[in-house]
Amino acid sequence: MAGNRERSMICFAGPIGSSDHRVIELFGFKDFDPLPMPSVEEVIFTVSTTPGLLGVLPIENSTEGELTLTLDRLIFDVDDAFIVGEAVLAEEIWGFSINGEASVHTAISHSMILDLCADFIRHRGLNVRHAVSTKAACDEVAGTRDPGLMALAPPSVGSQAGLNPVETQVAQVSELRTRYALIANNLPAPSGSDRTMLAIVPRYDAVGALSEIAGQFKSHDVNMTSILSRPLAGERDVHCFVVVADGHAHTEPVRSLLRSLLRAGHQVKLMGCYPRWTAKEVVTPSTQLPRGVLAYEEISDSAQQ
């Protein structure tokens, strides 16, 4: 979705200067009217009922994975809001104070940032104070002029507030990465390198249901890049699968796949089509394999006992 654009109105949850606001430029918008809103729900509802309005939503990050509350709103609550773009905001977290000195006693930031910096906070013996955003944390430190306060925030946010860096390695991850979705009323035309997001409810709930759906993707040569299971409230053992796949719903082979899924009796909701993000991806905070990974020899030995 990068490139020059006409001026657009774009809504997002949070204050001006928050990460949800800063990510907008990654979609290619250099000149736009920002419309901050109090919640993700309000963003989705407003976009779905206002032709021409765009919205930005966080849908995945490197510490929590898929943000199911946002996805659930898009799946179950609205008919006229589609994902039309994706971008990943990658930012380091630094510690900032008024004078840049290390003699601080309280760390201030968004709750998720405080969690990511828990080891640093504990090691330094700092008190904590919650803020609605990293920008609000920096504004508080700058406004109070208290040298004992430290804001934990991305470098660009701290410098814009006129603060000085104290520490450049405060988080347990080198970068906080968040995938954002751009939502609108209408789907974009195919770009040649797209992704499609679908919500699929199998025609039956039994052993083999998911395998049947996956088989449809394989037989139509459509690459499934992610899948998320959401149990349906009030429906025992019935699940909705959120699938992201390569390709655009209006072109082959995804178009044939959709027809085949519908003919087989599965319920399918098209959640969006969008150009594939080609820069940094959201990844797990660890480069190591999970602890306790089994070796083939261990399975073989246990089977013989």
Side-chain angles (χ1 to χ4, degrees):
M1 299 294 285
N4 295 326
R5 295 176 176 272
E6 297 179 358
R7 191 173 185 90
S8 300
M9 181 172 286
I10 306 175
C11 57
F12 54 92
I16 295 290
S18 64
S19 57
D20 290 31
H21 178 220
R22 294 194 302 275
V23 76
I24 293 174
E25 288 194 3
L26 294 183
F27 289 103
F29 295 96
K30 302 298 183 183
D31 191 20
F32 60 90
D33 292 319
L35 185 57
M37 293 192 164
S39 67
V40 163
E41 183 177 14
E42 189 71 16
V43 171
I44 295 173
F45 173 78
T46 305
V47 170
S48 69
T49 56
T50 310
L53 184 66
L54 300 173
V56 169
L57 302 169
I59 58 172
E60 180 188 11
N61 65 47
S62 51
T63 58
E64 299 172 296
E66 288 92 352
L67 304 180
T68 53
L69 177 61
T70 301
L71 291 173
D72 283 353
R73 298 289 190 208
L74 290 170
I75 297 168
F76 303 111
D77 292 353
V78 294
D79 299 323
D80 299 318
F82 300 98
I83 297 176
V84 299
E86 68 170 345
V88 174
L89 181 66
E91 296 181 312
E92 298 178 12
I93 302 298
W94 290 6
F96 291 91
S97 71
I98 285 294
N99 54 20
E101 296 180 0
S103 56
V104 295
H105 53 71
T106 300
I108 307 175
S109 195
H110 185 275
S111 57
M112 183 175 68
I113 304 300
L114 293 173
D115 285 342
L116 286 174
C117 301
D119 287 348
F120 169 79
I121 292 170
R122 184 168 51 252
H123 178 73
R124 291 287 299 270
L126 301 176
N127 299 315
V128 297
R129 190 181 301 171
H130 293 260
V132 296
S133 68
T134 55
K135 181 181 183 300
C138 290
D139 288 344
E140 182 175 347
V141 172
T144 60
R145 309 298 298 178
D146 183 347
L149 300 181
M150 176 191 290
L152 305 178
S156 61
V157 179
S159 61
Q160 287 173 5
L163 301 178
N164 296 293
V166 179
E167 298 280 353
T168 59
Q169 295 183 349
V170 298
Q172 293 163 228
V173 294
S174 59
E175 287 182 323
L176 178 60
R177 299 186 187 181
T178 304
R179 185 182 309 280
Y180 284 85
L182 182 70
I183 62 172
N185 298 119
N186 300 301
L187 293 175
S191 71
S193 179
D194 298 288
R195 280 177 169 163
T196 291
M197 183 180 289
L198 306 169
I200 305 172
V201 178
R203 62 186 176 89
Y204 64 92
D205 191 77
V207 175
L210 180 57
S211 176
E212 178 183 316
I213 291 173
Q216 293 272 17
F217 281 79
K218 181 179 180 180
S219 64
H220 287 85
D221 197 27
V222 174
N223 183 41
M224 185 188 300
T225 62
S226 73
I227 183 168
L228 173 70
S229 174
R230 301 296 293 145
L232 298 182
E235 300 289 339
R236 181 176 175 83
D237 297 329
V238 177
H239 290 72
C240 173
F241 297 102
V242 182
V243 178
V244 178
D246 289 337
H248 194 289
H250 293 169
T251 61
E252 300 296 343
V254 178
R255 182 165 56 185
S256 294
L257 166 67
L258 294 177
R259 287 198 296 263
S260 182
L261 288 170
L262 293 171
R263 279 199 303 268
H266 305 295
Q267 298 180 51
V268 181
K269 177 177 181 176
L270 178 58
M271 294 181 61
C273 298
Y274 44 91
R276 182 173 181 172
W277 179 250
T278 57
K280 291 181 177 180
E281 289 284 358
V282 175
V283 294
T284 65
S286 176
T287 60
Q288 304 298 318
L289 289 173
R291 292 186 179 181
V293 172
L294 294 173
Y296 174 76
E297 291 76 12
E298 294 177 289
I299 299 297
S300 301
D301 290 343
S302 62
Q304 296 172 1
Q305 293 177 358

